mmCIF file of all heavy atoms in Angstrom:
data_model
loop_
_atom_site.group_PDB
_atom_site.id
_atom_site.type_symbol
_atom_site.label_atom_id
_atom_site.label_comp_id
_atom_site.label_asym_id
_atom_site.label_seq_id
_atom_site.Cartn_x
_atom_site.Cartn_y
_atom_site.Cartn_z
ATOM 1 N N SER A 102 41.659 30.448 -26.544
ATOM 2 C CA SER A 102 42.946 30.521 -27.285
ATOM 3 C C SER A 102 43.733 29.182 -27.345
ATOM 4 O O SER A 102 44.885 29.142 -27.038
ATOM 5 C CB SER A 102 43.811 31.681 -26.723
ATOM 6 O OG SER A 102 43.141 32.912 -26.807
ATOM 7 N N ASP A 103 43.022 28.137 -27.684
ATOM 8 C CA ASP A 103 43.640 26.813 -27.752
ATOM 9 C C ASP A 103 44.085 26.207 -26.414
ATOM 10 O O ASP A 103 44.881 25.248 -26.409
ATOM 11 C CB ASP A 103 44.794 26.803 -28.791
ATOM 12 C CG ASP A 103 44.440 27.042 -30.170
ATOM 13 O OD1 ASP A 103 43.276 26.658 -30.557
ATOM 14 O OD2 ASP A 103 45.158 27.799 -30.896
ATOM 15 N N THR A 104 43.646 26.801 -25.336
ATOM 16 C CA THR A 104 43.988 26.287 -23.992
ATOM 17 C C THR A 104 42.725 25.949 -23.278
ATOM 18 O O THR A 104 41.827 26.735 -23.145
ATOM 19 C CB THR A 104 44.763 27.379 -23.217
ATOM 20 O OG1 THR A 104 45.951 27.714 -23.893
ATOM 21 C CG2 THR A 104 45.151 26.911 -21.799
ATOM 22 N N ALA A 105 42.616 24.708 -22.749
ATOM 23 C CA ALA A 105 41.525 24.344 -21.938
ATOM 24 C C ALA A 105 41.741 24.856 -20.541
ATOM 25 O O ALA A 105 42.845 24.675 -19.958
ATOM 26 C CB ALA A 105 41.421 22.790 -21.921
ATOM 27 N N ILE A 106 40.752 25.493 -19.991
ATOM 28 C CA ILE A 106 40.906 26.109 -18.671
ATOM 29 C C ILE A 106 39.764 25.721 -17.765
ATOM 30 O O ILE A 106 38.596 25.508 -18.258
ATOM 31 C CB ILE A 106 41.036 27.650 -18.741
ATOM 32 C CG1 ILE A 106 39.873 28.272 -19.420
ATOM 33 C CG2 ILE A 106 42.348 28.045 -19.398
ATOM 34 C CD1 ILE A 106 39.931 29.850 -19.479
ATOM 35 N N VAL A 107 39.986 25.744 -16.449
ATOM 36 C CA VAL A 107 38.948 25.356 -15.438
ATOM 37 C C VAL A 107 39.030 26.503 -14.405
ATOM 38 O O VAL A 107 40.023 27.034 -14.074
ATOM 39 C CB VAL A 107 39.262 24.025 -14.775
ATOM 40 C CG1 VAL A 107 38.269 23.774 -13.655
ATOM 41 C CG2 VAL A 107 39.282 22.916 -15.787
ATOM 42 N N ASP A 108 37.834 26.759 -13.935
ATOM 43 C CA ASP A 108 37.686 27.809 -12.849
ATOM 44 C C ASP A 108 36.762 27.331 -11.793
ATOM 45 O O ASP A 108 35.854 26.577 -12.082
ATOM 46 C CB ASP A 108 37.179 29.089 -13.500
ATOM 47 C CG ASP A 108 37.258 30.326 -12.561
ATOM 48 O OD1 ASP A 108 38.205 30.305 -11.742
ATOM 49 O OD2 ASP A 108 36.425 31.211 -12.618
ATOM 50 N N TRP A 109 36.983 27.834 -10.522
ATOM 51 C CA TRP A 109 36.084 27.589 -9.471
ATOM 52 C C TRP A 109 35.816 28.924 -8.727
ATOM 53 O O TRP A 109 36.545 29.878 -8.886
ATOM 54 C CB TRP A 109 36.689 26.652 -8.459
ATOM 55 C CG TRP A 109 36.769 25.190 -8.863
ATOM 56 C CD1 TRP A 109 35.714 24.312 -8.890
ATOM 57 C CD2 TRP A 109 37.879 24.504 -9.322
ATOM 58 N NE1 TRP A 109 36.173 23.110 -9.337
ATOM 59 C CE2 TRP A 109 37.462 23.192 -9.674
ATOM 60 C CE3 TRP A 109 39.228 24.864 -9.604
ATOM 61 C CZ2 TRP A 109 38.346 22.213 -10.161
ATOM 62 C CZ3 TRP A 109 40.097 23.915 -10.126
ATOM 63 C CH2 TRP A 109 39.633 22.646 -10.345
ATOM 64 N N THR A 110 34.723 28.930 -7.983
ATOM 65 C CA THR A 110 34.401 30.089 -7.179
ATOM 66 C C THR A 110 35.432 30.126 -6.016
ATOM 67 O O THR A 110 35.864 29.090 -5.510
ATOM 68 C CB THR A 110 32.992 29.888 -6.580
ATOM 69 O OG1 THR A 110 32.076 29.783 -7.642
ATOM 70 C CG2 THR A 110 32.564 31.089 -5.710
ATOM 71 N N ASN A 111 35.751 31.319 -5.514
ATOM 72 C CA ASN A 111 36.649 31.475 -4.450
ATOM 73 C C ASN A 111 36.127 30.713 -3.227
ATOM 74 O O ASN A 111 34.927 30.497 -3.118
ATOM 75 C CB ASN A 111 36.886 32.942 -4.028
ATOM 76 C CG ASN A 111 37.500 33.742 -5.135
ATOM 77 O OD1 ASN A 111 38.182 33.234 -6.030
ATOM 78 N ND2 ASN A 111 37.341 35.020 -5.096
ATOM 79 N N LEU A 112 37.038 30.227 -2.396
ATOM 80 C CA LEU A 112 36.725 29.370 -1.226
ATOM 81 C C LEU A 112 37.227 29.974 0.045
ATOM 82 O O LEU A 112 38.328 30.428 0.132
ATOM 83 C CB LEU A 112 37.441 28.009 -1.478
ATOM 84 C CG LEU A 112 37.101 26.884 -0.538
ATOM 85 C CD1 LEU A 112 35.625 26.502 -0.606
ATOM 86 C CD2 LEU A 112 37.992 25.684 -0.829
ATOM 87 N N SER A 113 36.334 30.055 1.064
ATOM 88 C CA SER A 113 36.661 30.723 2.320
ATOM 89 C C SER A 113 36.340 29.783 3.507
ATOM 90 O O SER A 113 35.411 29.038 3.499
ATOM 91 C CB SER A 113 35.906 32.034 2.490
ATOM 92 O OG SER A 113 36.286 32.933 1.529
ATOM 93 N N TRP A 114 37.183 29.993 4.536
ATOM 94 C CA TRP A 114 36.943 29.450 5.921
ATOM 95 C C TRP A 114 36.696 30.608 6.805
ATOM 96 O O TRP A 114 37.581 31.444 6.973
ATOM 97 C CB TRP A 114 38.142 28.628 6.386
ATOM 98 C CG TRP A 114 38.370 27.266 5.670
ATOM 99 C CD1 TRP A 114 37.923 26.050 6.225
ATOM 100 C CD2 TRP A 114 38.939 26.962 4.397
ATOM 101 N NE1 TRP A 114 38.301 25.103 5.344
ATOM 102 C CE2 TRP A 114 38.875 25.579 4.282
ATOM 103 C CE3 TRP A 114 39.501 27.735 3.444
ATOM 104 C CZ2 TRP A 114 39.358 24.932 3.166
ATOM 105 C CZ3 TRP A 114 39.992 27.145 2.255
ATOM 106 C CH2 TRP A 114 39.857 25.761 2.144
ATOM 107 N N GLN A 115 35.544 30.645 7.376
ATOM 108 C CA GLN A 115 35.132 31.731 8.278
ATOM 109 C C GLN A 115 35.649 31.555 9.683
ATOM 110 O O GLN A 115 35.702 30.390 10.138
ATOM 111 C CB GLN A 115 33.644 31.862 8.308
ATOM 112 C CG GLN A 115 32.973 32.082 6.931
ATOM 113 C CD GLN A 115 33.391 33.334 6.209
ATOM 114 O OE1 GLN A 115 33.623 34.349 6.813
ATOM 115 N NE2 GLN A 115 33.649 33.223 4.897
ATOM 116 N N THR A 116 35.998 32.602 10.429
ATOM 117 C CA THR A 116 36.447 32.571 11.751
ATOM 118 C C THR A 116 37.480 31.527 11.984
ATOM 119 O O THR A 116 37.444 30.702 12.890
ATOM 120 C CB THR A 116 35.227 32.375 12.768
ATOM 121 O OG1 THR A 116 34.151 33.128 12.294
ATOM 122 C CG2 THR A 116 35.581 32.840 14.148
ATOM 123 N N ALA A 117 38.460 31.446 11.129
ATOM 124 C CA ALA A 117 39.461 30.385 11.074
ATOM 125 C C ALA A 117 40.762 30.900 11.772
ATOM 126 O O ALA A 117 41.141 32.037 11.632
ATOM 127 C CB ALA A 117 39.818 29.999 9.645
ATOM 128 N N THR A 118 41.425 29.985 12.432
ATOM 129 C CA THR A 118 42.718 30.180 12.975
ATOM 130 C C THR A 118 43.579 29.032 12.387
ATOM 131 O O THR A 118 43.442 27.865 12.833
ATOM 132 C CB THR A 118 42.734 30.196 14.497
ATOM 133 O OG1 THR A 118 41.988 31.287 14.931
ATOM 134 C CG2 THR A 118 44.192 30.392 15.013
ATOM 135 N N LEU A 119 44.406 29.345 11.394
ATOM 136 C CA LEU A 119 45.214 28.322 10.804
ATOM 137 C C LEU A 119 46.327 28.932 9.995
ATOM 138 O O LEU A 119 46.347 30.158 9.680
ATOM 139 C CB LEU A 119 44.399 27.460 9.842
ATOM 140 C CG LEU A 119 43.667 28.087 8.678
ATOM 141 C CD1 LEU A 119 44.501 28.104 7.434
ATOM 142 C CD2 LEU A 119 42.370 27.361 8.360
ATOM 143 N N THR A 120 47.332 28.102 9.655
ATOM 144 C CA THR A 120 48.433 28.574 8.806
ATOM 145 C C THR A 120 48.597 27.499 7.695
ATOM 146 O O THR A 120 48.484 26.318 7.946
ATOM 147 C CB THR A 120 49.761 28.586 9.585
ATOM 148 O OG1 THR A 120 49.654 29.576 10.597
ATOM 149 C CG2 THR A 120 50.950 28.928 8.657
ATOM 150 N N ALA A 121 48.805 27.892 6.481
ATOM 151 C CA ALA A 121 48.965 27.024 5.334
ATOM 152 C C ALA A 121 50.030 27.620 4.387
ATOM 153 O O ALA A 121 50.163 28.796 4.230
ATOM 154 C CB ALA A 121 47.646 26.826 4.577
ATOM 155 N N ARG A 122 50.787 26.701 3.778
ATOM 156 C CA ARG A 122 51.869 27.064 2.847
ATOM 157 C C ARG A 122 51.414 26.747 1.418
ATOM 158 O O ARG A 122 51.985 27.261 0.430
ATOM 159 C CB ARG A 122 53.099 26.298 3.196
ATOM 160 C CG ARG A 122 54.268 26.344 2.203
ATOM 161 C CD ARG A 122 54.842 27.785 2.162
ATOM 162 N NE ARG A 122 56.058 27.867 1.499
ATOM 163 C CZ ARG A 122 56.249 27.891 0.176
ATOM 164 N NH1 ARG A 122 55.238 27.743 -0.652
ATOM 165 N NH2 ARG A 122 57.475 28.027 -0.377
ATOM 166 N N GLY A 123 50.474 25.821 1.295
ATOM 167 C CA GLY A 123 49.980 25.436 -0.031
ATOM 168 C C GLY A 123 48.690 24.641 0.039
ATOM 169 O O GLY A 123 48.178 24.453 1.137
ATOM 170 N N ALA A 124 48.261 24.156 -1.106
ATOM 171 C CA ALA A 124 46.997 23.395 -1.102
ATOM 172 C C ALA A 124 47.040 22.344 -2.233
ATOM 173 O O ALA A 124 47.884 22.404 -3.164
ATOM 174 C CB ALA A 124 45.866 24.289 -1.380
ATOM 175 N N LEU A 125 46.080 21.393 -2.087
ATOM 176 C CA LEU A 125 46.015 20.366 -3.049
ATOM 177 C C LEU A 125 44.496 20.328 -3.587
ATOM 178 O O LEU A 125 43.622 20.285 -2.685
ATOM 179 C CB LEU A 125 46.332 18.957 -2.508
ATOM 180 C CG LEU A 125 46.061 17.774 -3.428
ATOM 181 C CD1 LEU A 125 47.079 17.814 -4.590
ATOM 182 C CD2 LEU A 125 46.192 16.444 -2.662
ATOM 183 N N ILE A 126 44.277 20.426 -4.820
ATOM 184 C CA ILE A 126 42.958 20.270 -5.376
ATOM 185 C C ILE A 126 42.924 18.770 -5.785
ATOM 186 O O ILE A 126 43.790 18.250 -6.492
ATOM 187 C CB ILE A 126 42.709 21.101 -6.607
ATOM 188 C CG1 ILE A 126 42.763 22.583 -6.193
ATOM 189 C CG2 ILE A 126 41.399 20.747 -7.281
ATOM 190 C CD1 ILE A 126 42.699 23.621 -7.362
ATOM 191 N N TYR A 127 41.808 18.083 -5.329
ATOM 192 C CA TYR A 127 41.722 16.693 -5.636
ATOM 193 C C TYR A 127 40.270 16.339 -5.932
ATOM 194 O O TYR A 127 39.380 17.030 -5.575
ATOM 195 C CB TYR A 127 42.260 15.789 -4.477
ATOM 196 C CG TYR A 127 41.509 15.846 -3.204
ATOM 197 C CD1 TYR A 127 40.611 14.852 -2.883
ATOM 198 C CD2 TYR A 127 41.754 16.896 -2.292
ATOM 199 C CE1 TYR A 127 39.859 14.947 -1.660
ATOM 200 C CE2 TYR A 127 41.071 16.956 -1.084
ATOM 201 C CZ TYR A 127 40.153 15.923 -0.805
ATOM 202 O OH TYR A 127 39.401 15.990 0.430
ATOM 203 N N ASN A 128 40.118 15.216 -6.641
ATOM 204 C CA ASN A 128 38.721 14.740 -7.108
ATOM 205 C C ASN A 128 38.210 13.737 -6.196
ATOM 206 O O ASN A 128 38.533 12.533 -6.226
ATOM 207 C CB ASN A 128 38.921 14.191 -8.534
ATOM 208 C CG ASN A 128 37.534 13.916 -9.155
ATOM 209 O OD1 ASN A 128 36.497 13.824 -8.495
ATOM 210 N ND2 ASN A 128 37.503 13.741 -10.451
ATOM 211 N N LYS A 129 37.323 14.153 -5.262
ATOM 212 C CA LYS A 129 36.690 13.258 -4.291
ATOM 213 C C LYS A 129 35.880 12.231 -4.982
ATOM 214 O O LYS A 129 35.752 11.057 -4.549
ATOM 215 C CB LYS A 129 35.756 14.113 -3.347
ATOM 216 C CG LYS A 129 35.222 13.335 -2.188
ATOM 217 C CD LYS A 129 36.214 13.287 -1.061
ATOM 218 C CE LYS A 129 35.596 12.827 0.212
ATOM 219 N NZ LYS A 129 36.615 12.386 1.112
ATOM 220 N N SER A 130 35.320 12.502 -6.123
ATOM 221 C CA SER A 130 34.405 11.577 -6.881
ATOM 222 C C SER A 130 35.236 10.473 -7.573
ATOM 223 O O SER A 130 34.626 9.538 -8.056
ATOM 224 C CB SER A 130 33.595 12.372 -7.904
ATOM 225 O OG SER A 130 32.731 13.350 -7.382
ATOM 226 N N ALA A 131 36.514 10.637 -7.682
ATOM 227 C CA ALA A 131 37.356 9.695 -8.343
ATOM 228 C C ALA A 131 38.465 9.197 -7.447
ATOM 229 O O ALA A 131 39.674 9.299 -7.666
ATOM 230 C CB ALA A 131 37.977 10.341 -9.654
ATOM 231 N N SER A 132 38.048 8.683 -6.301
ATOM 232 C CA SER A 132 38.911 8.045 -5.297
ATOM 233 C C SER A 132 40.065 9.031 -4.798
ATOM 234 O O SER A 132 41.129 8.614 -4.607
ATOM 235 C CB SER A 132 39.539 6.771 -5.839
ATOM 236 O OG SER A 132 38.589 5.888 -6.289
ATOM 237 N N ASP A 133 39.684 10.285 -4.628
ATOM 238 C CA ASP A 133 40.618 11.295 -4.094
ATOM 239 C C ASP A 133 41.830 11.539 -4.981
ATOM 240 O O ASP A 133 42.923 11.859 -4.525
ATOM 241 C CB ASP A 133 41.027 10.934 -2.687
ATOM 242 C CG ASP A 133 39.899 10.949 -1.731
ATOM 243 O OD1 ASP A 133 38.831 11.596 -2.058
ATOM 244 O OD2 ASP A 133 40.041 10.393 -0.640
ATOM 245 N N LYS A 134 41.708 11.376 -6.364
ATOM 246 C CA LYS A 134 42.829 11.556 -7.209
ATOM 247 C C LYS A 134 43.305 12.985 -7.193
ATOM 248 O O LYS A 134 42.476 13.962 -7.316
ATOM 249 C CB LYS A 134 42.476 11.142 -8.650
ATOM 250 C CG LYS A 134 42.086 9.680 -8.821
ATOM 251 C CD LYS A 134 43.230 8.752 -8.524
ATOM 252 C CE LYS A 134 42.813 7.387 -8.763
ATOM 253 N NZ LYS A 134 43.639 6.419 -7.965
ATOM 254 N N ALA A 135 44.593 13.253 -7.154
ATOM 255 C CA ALA A 135 45.210 14.569 -7.188
ATOM 256 C C ALA A 135 44.984 15.223 -8.521
ATOM 257 O O ALA A 135 45.098 14.569 -9.605
ATOM 258 C CB ALA A 135 46.665 14.494 -6.886
ATOM 259 N N VAL A 136 44.752 16.527 -8.513
ATOM 260 C CA VAL A 136 44.564 17.299 -9.719
ATOM 261 C C VAL A 136 45.688 18.360 -9.844
ATOM 262 O O VAL A 136 46.355 18.443 -10.817
ATOM 263 C CB VAL A 136 43.195 18.039 -9.714
ATOM 264 C CG1 VAL A 136 43.123 19.042 -10.903
ATOM 265 C CG2 VAL A 136 42.032 17.057 -9.763
ATOM 266 N N ALA A 137 45.859 19.165 -8.804
ATOM 267 C CA ALA A 137 46.844 20.213 -8.863
ATOM 268 C C ALA A 137 47.364 20.638 -7.505
ATOM 269 O O ALA A 137 46.584 20.576 -6.513
ATOM 270 C CB ALA A 137 46.316 21.452 -9.637
ATOM 271 N N VAL A 138 48.556 21.131 -7.365
ATOM 272 C CA VAL A 138 49.128 21.622 -6.164
ATOM 273 C C VAL A 138 49.223 23.107 -6.285
ATOM 274 O O VAL A 138 49.658 23.632 -7.380
ATOM 275 C CB VAL A 138 50.532 21.006 -5.912
ATOM 276 C CG1 VAL A 138 51.238 21.625 -4.746
ATOM 277 C CG2 VAL A 138 50.392 19.494 -5.658
ATOM 278 N N LEU A 139 48.903 23.859 -5.275
ATOM 279 C CA LEU A 139 48.988 25.295 -5.230
ATOM 280 C C LEU A 139 50.112 25.668 -4.209
ATOM 281 O O LEU A 139 49.995 25.262 -3.075
ATOM 282 C CB LEU A 139 47.710 25.917 -4.895
ATOM 283 C CG LEU A 139 46.433 25.527 -5.610
ATOM 284 C CD1 LEU A 139 45.270 26.265 -5.111
ATOM 285 C CD2 LEU A 139 46.635 25.712 -7.135
ATOM 286 N N ASP A 140 51.056 26.430 -4.639
ATOM 287 C CA ASP A 140 52.136 26.988 -3.791
ATOM 288 C C ASP A 140 51.818 28.359 -3.440
ATOM 289 O O ASP A 140 51.711 29.195 -4.330
ATOM 290 C CB ASP A 140 53.498 26.848 -4.451
ATOM 291 C CG ASP A 140 54.598 27.259 -3.630
ATOM 292 O OD1 ASP A 140 54.402 27.826 -2.517
ATOM 293 O OD2 ASP A 140 55.781 27.179 -4.118
ATOM 294 N N PHE A 141 51.587 28.693 -2.170
ATOM 295 C CA PHE A 141 51.216 30.002 -1.790
ATOM 296 C C PHE A 141 52.502 30.954 -1.738
ATOM 297 O O PHE A 141 52.292 32.146 -1.519
ATOM 298 C CB PHE A 141 50.555 30.048 -0.386
ATOM 299 C CG PHE A 141 49.208 29.258 -0.340
ATOM 300 C CD1 PHE A 141 48.685 28.939 0.904
ATOM 301 C CD2 PHE A 141 48.524 28.948 -1.470
ATOM 302 C CE1 PHE A 141 47.483 28.251 0.998
ATOM 303 C CE2 PHE A 141 47.343 28.300 -1.425
ATOM 304 C CZ PHE A 141 46.799 27.947 -0.213
ATOM 305 N N GLY A 142 53.618 30.456 -1.924
ATOM 306 C CA GLY A 142 54.868 31.286 -1.946
ATOM 307 C C GLY A 142 55.395 31.684 -0.538
ATOM 308 O O GLY A 142 56.283 32.386 -0.430
ATOM 309 N N GLY A 143 54.772 31.115 0.451
ATOM 310 C CA GLY A 143 55.096 31.381 1.848
ATOM 311 C C GLY A 143 53.885 31.026 2.729
ATOM 312 O O GLY A 143 52.808 30.788 2.263
ATOM 313 N N ASP A 144 54.155 30.990 4.030
ATOM 314 C CA ASP A 144 53.048 30.673 4.972
ATOM 315 C C ASP A 144 52.012 31.806 4.935
ATOM 316 O O ASP A 144 52.414 33.029 4.959
ATOM 317 C CB ASP A 144 53.554 30.531 6.447
ATOM 318 C CG ASP A 144 54.285 29.205 6.631
ATOM 319 O OD1 ASP A 144 54.174 28.310 5.735
ATOM 320 O OD2 ASP A 144 54.956 29.061 7.632
ATOM 321 N N LYS A 145 50.768 31.409 4.925
ATOM 322 C CA LYS A 145 49.674 32.345 4.991
ATOM 323 C C LYS A 145 48.884 31.983 6.275
ATOM 324 O O LYS A 145 48.614 30.835 6.551
ATOM 325 C CB LYS A 145 48.722 32.284 3.787
ATOM 326 C CG LYS A 145 49.440 32.517 2.436
ATOM 327 C CD LYS A 145 50.042 33.875 2.344
ATOM 328 C CE LYS A 145 50.768 34.003 1.055
ATOM 329 N NZ LYS A 145 51.635 35.194 0.994
#
Side-chain angles (χ1 to χ4, degrees):
S102 299
D103 296 325
T104 301
I106 58 177
V107 177
D108 190 32
W109 287 280
T110 302
N111 295 341
L112 186 63
S113 295
W114 284 262
Q115 305 297 323
T116 320
T118 298
L119 61 89
T120 298
R122 171 67 167 79
L125 175 70
I126 295 173
Y127 66 98
N128 188 343
K129 187 84 170 165
S130 301
S132 304
D133 296 341
K134 299 293 182 204
V136 173
V138 172
L139 309 180
D140 181 355
F141 297 162
D144 285 347
K145 304 298 179 193

